[in-house]
Amino acid sequence: VQLQASGGGLVQAGGSLSLSCVASGSIFRINAMNWYRQRPGKQRVLIATIDPSGRPNYDDSVKGRFTISRDNTKNTWYLQMNSLKPDDTGVYYCNVDLQTFTKRTQNYWGQGTQVTVSS
């Protein structure tokens, strides 16, 4: 299984960016789809998650500004980030819990993508 993240970049405060992540490989079923953020010098933190039915949950730091969504037909999930702040700067990682065709439940990480918000 591989995860490929895309999006990110440099934006001014108040701007928007969109991230996407696609999972490929021996996938039977995808459970939770997640986005993590790692600020410079800090630990990686879960900021948004979405369950198979499409129900999202957010960290308080992004609630009301970020929107997570998923397309189960494409094994893809997204993170729309609006009203970005300099404090949102960091490396963003996609993450997924899924079942392979051997019915093993495993957790996978995508490569990080840099988001930089200038003041």
Side-chain angles (χ1 to χ4, degrees), residues 6 8 12 17 22 25 27 31 33-34 58 72-74 113:
S6 61
Q12 288 190 329
L17 284 173
V22 57
I27 299 170
N31 297 322
M33 293 173 163
N34 312 304
Y58 301 96
N72 292 329
T73 65
K74 298 180 180 178
T113 184

Side-chain angles (χ1 to χ4, degrees), residues 82-103:
N82 298 329
S83 302
L84 282 160
K85 307 174 183 179
D87 202 38
D88 294 316
T89 294
V91 180
Y92 286 67
Y93 295 89
C94 57
N95 172 273
V96 68
D97 290 318
L98 58 83
Q99 267 187 318
T100 65
F101 281 111
T102 61
K103 301 303 173 65

Side-chain angles (χ1 to χ4, degrees), residues 1-116:
V1 175
Q2 290 187 324
L3 270 57
Q4 181 66 48
S6 61
L10 173 64
V11 67
Q12 288 190 329
S16 298
L17 284 173
S18 180
L19 306 179
S20 63
C21 189
V22 57
S24 61
S26 178
I27 299 170
F28 175 71
R29 180 172 57 206
I30 293 181
N31 297 322
M33 293 173 163
N34 312 304
W35 287 100
Y36 284 73
R37 176 175 64 200
Q38 187 166 20
R39 291 169 169 151
K42 303 291 186 181
Q43 288 188 330
R44 201 174 297 185
V45 175
L46 177 65
I47 58 170
T49 183
I50 187 166
D51 70 11
S53 66
R55 183 170 50 202
N57 266 297
Y58 301 96
D59 183 79
D60 285 346
S61 66
V62 305
K63 201 172 292 184
R65 300 186 298 121
F66 291 11
T67 301
I68 188 171
S69 60
R70 62 192 282 167
D71 184 339
N72 292 329
T73 65
K74 298 180 180 178
N75 290 341
T76 301
W77 59 112
Y78 309 92
L79 187 68
Q80 177 64 40
M81 304 183 290
N82 298 329
S83 302
L84 282 160
K85 307 174 183 179
D87 202 38
D88 294 316
T89 294
V91 180
Y92 286 67
Y93 295 89
C94 57
N95 172 273
V96 68
D97 290 318
L98 58 83
Q99 267 187 318
T100 65
F101 281 111
T102 61
K103 301 303 173 65
R104 295 178 62 187
T105 298
Q106 293 184 297
N107 186 269
Y108 293 89
W109 291 92
Q111 86 284 10
T113 184
Q114 177 71 41
V115 171
T116 303

